[in-house]
């Protein structure tokens, strides 16, 4: 009896779910009249826009009376923040505080990534730590940005010392030739 009642209720529920809903009348909006399309002799279809025409207006340009201009060289080494960090790097390096000197040099490098001085100090720090491969790589990267012969000489001397410490005679010979050429 209970099974029959449950089956009957299930069939009524299914029949109720499958019944089609009443149709609600929908409001239709009138369609705008078709746009006038003209076809010139070239075959290009031209359809006008519904929007109003865009008009050109002149906008007055406001120029400040006095512009503040700071001129920096290409590598950013003239920035005050860079100079401050490099001074801190030099002081820490002279006091044998290599971790602090490295931290300052890396901060300076973020400010001026093409400044040669940061690579010089990072290479010197790596050399003090006996990380000769790193010292050589940093010195070579610094060489790619170096402009003065004095800076190139310092970087090549780091490469020479690092190559000799690693027993790389070919690289050491290359560094000697470069130092003689300067």
């Amino acid at each position: 009896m209970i099974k029959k009642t449950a089956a009957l209720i299930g069939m009524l529920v299914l029949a109720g779910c499958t019944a089609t809903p009443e149709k609600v009348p929908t409001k239709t909006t009138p369609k705008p009249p078709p746009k006038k399309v003209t076809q010139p002799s070239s075959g290009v279809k031209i359809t006008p826009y519904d929007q109003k025409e865009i008009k050109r207006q002149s906008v007055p340009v406001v120029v400040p009376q006095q512009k503040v201009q700071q001129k920096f060289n290409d590598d950013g080494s003239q920035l005050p923040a860079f100079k401050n960090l490099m001074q801190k790097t030099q002081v820490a390096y002279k006091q044998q505080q290599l971790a602090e000197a490295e931290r300052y040099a890396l901060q300076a490098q973020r400010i001026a990534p093409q400044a040669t001085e940061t690579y010089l100090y990072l290479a010197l720090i790596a050399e003090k730590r006996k990380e000769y491969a790193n010292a050589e790589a940093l010195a070579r990267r610094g060489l790619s940005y170096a402009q003065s012969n004095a800076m190139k000489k310092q970087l090549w001397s780091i490469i020479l010392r690092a190559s000799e410490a690693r027993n790389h005679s070919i690289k050491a010979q290359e560094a000697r030739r470069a130092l003689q050429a300067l």
Side-chain angles (χ1 to χ4, degrees):
M1 177 85 158
I2 295 176
K3 289 183 180 179
K4 289 183 181 178
T5 309
L8 185 60
I9 291 174
M11 288 176 32
L12 287 174
V13 169
L14 281 174
C17 288
T18 58
T20 57
E22 289 183 29
K23 289 189 176 181
V24 179
T26 58
K27 294 181 180 178
T28 57
T29 57
K31 292 184 180 179
K35 297 176 185 173
K36 183 179 178 184
V37 178
T38 58
Q39 284 190 336
S41 61
S42 65
V44 177
K45 198 176 199 182
I46 299 174
T47 307
Y49 289 109
D50 288 338
Q51 297 176 352
K52 295 179 182 178
E53 185 178 333
I54 298 173
K55 295 180 182 178
R56 291 186 179 213
Q57 296 177 350
S58 62
V59 178
V61 178
V62 178
V63 178
Q65 291 180 357
Q66 187 179 30
K67 290 184 179 181
V68 177
Q69 290 185 351
Q70 290 181 325
K71 291 190 176 182
F72 302 115
N73 59 356
D74 295 327
D75 64 359
S77 62
Q78 298 302 315
L79 292 168
F82 176 82
K83 287 181 177 182
N84 185 22
L85 286 168
M86 287 311 296
Q87 283 179 336
K88 289 179 180 180
T89 302
Q90 291 169 358
V91 170
Y93 181 76
K94 287 177 184 175
Q95 295 175 351
Q96 299 297 314
Q97 297 172 343
L98 300 181
E100 193 174 334
E102 183 180 31
R103 184 170 54 89
Y104 289 134
L106 288 172
Q107 286 177 354
Q109 190 179 41
R110 287 186 195 107
I111 293 172
Q114 295 182 349
T116 311
E117 293 86 9
T118 58
Y119 292 102
L120 174 69
Y121 275 96
L122 289 170
L124 287 170
I125 292 166
E127 185 181 23
K128 285 263 188 184
R129 290 181 176 166
K130 298 185 180 184
E131 299 170 352
Y132 298 114
N134 192 19
E136 183 182 341
L138 286 164
R140 287 188 184 275
R141 175 78 56 89
L143 276 173
S144 66
Y145 300 121
Q147 295 176 355
S148 70
N149 284 341
M151 184 61 72
K152 289 178 184 179
K153 194 171 189 175
Q154 287 179 323
L155 292 167
W156 276 114
S157 64
I158 293 171
I159 293 170
L160 176 63
R161 290 191 304 264
S163 299
E164 287 174 344
R166 294 173 59 209
N167 294 324
H168 284 258
S169 59
I170 296 172
K171 290 182 180 181
Q173 193 67 11
E174 175 192 8
R176 281 190 198 99
R177 275 187 257 125
L179 283 168
Q180 288 174 353
L182 292 174

